[in-house]
Amino acid sequence: FGGIACVWKRMHAAGVRNAMFDSTFFGVKRILEDWYIIQDRGGENNSFVSIGFAYGIAAVTAVTVDYAVDVSVKRIYATGPESSIPSMGVLRRTMHIVSKDGVRIFRGLGVKSIEFGISYMITGVMSPHIANMINAFFKDEEASNSTKNGT
């Protein structure tokens, strides 16, 4: 049963990392919405920051917060499946790696932040348009079905 325990530890570590990223991303996005920075008020766009830029800010923040844990989890996955994984939790393991490697663990943070910031910014800009197209498609489909049924 040693193999199952190793798989479970890997999955748990990845889950912790994903939870950190997602909670940070959606938390920052929500804070920006609550502060009315990206809200469209009364049909007038008085926004200080566009929704795309807010998605980008949230993504860069999430990458920065979870970067050390991400490196730790990737090191766990880099070991072979037959290799044992230390029993310490992923956060303790991350602190151990940071104390050993120091700031070197953050090599690549800038590039990953730019990559995620641009990707999520494009997602934030495009998603309302795509959602509107999907809604319009289904409304047209619903209207044509009701016409065919005589309702």
Side-chain angles (χ1 to χ4, degrees):
F1 291 108
I4 293 173
C6 287
V7 169
W8 175 253
K9 287 178 186 177
R10 284 180 171 89
M11 289 174 42
H12 182 265
V16 168
R17 198 232 46 102
N18 288 338
M20 287 182 68
F21 182 91
D22 289 349
S23 61
T24 304
F25 173 79
F26 289 110
V28 169
K29 183 178 154 294
R30 177 62 189 253
I31 287 169
L32 292 174
E33 289 171 348
D34 285 350
W35 285 350
Y36 302 105
I37 294 174
I38 62 172
Q39 186 174 357
D40 183 15
R41 293 180 227 141
E44 298 176 20
N45 191 351
N46 298 327
S47 302
F48 175 70
V49 176
S50 72
I51 193 162
F53 193 63
Y55 268 62
I57 291 170
V60 169
T61 305
V63 165
T64 304
V65 166
D66 91 324
Y67 191 78
V69 175
D70 186 48
V71 169
S72 177
V73 170
K74 286 178 179 170
R75 287 183 183 179
I76 290 171
Y77 273 87
T79 62
E82 69 284 345
S83 302
S84 65
I85 298 172
S87 60
M88 67 177 82
V90 67
L91 297 179
R92 190 178 318 154
R93 178 179 166 80
T94 301
M95 294 308 296
H96 176 72
I97 292 171
V98 169
S99 68
K100 189 176 82 172
D101 292 354
V103 295
R104 290 181 301 160
I105 195 171
F106 296 101
R107 289 176 298 197
L109 174 61
V111 173
K112 187 172 181 182
S113 295
I114 291 169
E115 173 194 354
F116 274 67
I118 291 170
S119 173
Y120 277 70
M121 184 175 71
I122 291 169
T123 300
V125 168
M126 297 306 297
S127 62
H129 301 293
I130 293 169
N132 287 337
M133 289 187 324
I134 291 170
N135 286 336
F137 172 78
F138 283 112
K139 284 181 184 176
D140 290 344
E141 185 79 18
E142 191 175 282
S144 68
N145 285 340
S146 65
T147 305
K148 289 177 186 177
N149 295 332
T151 56

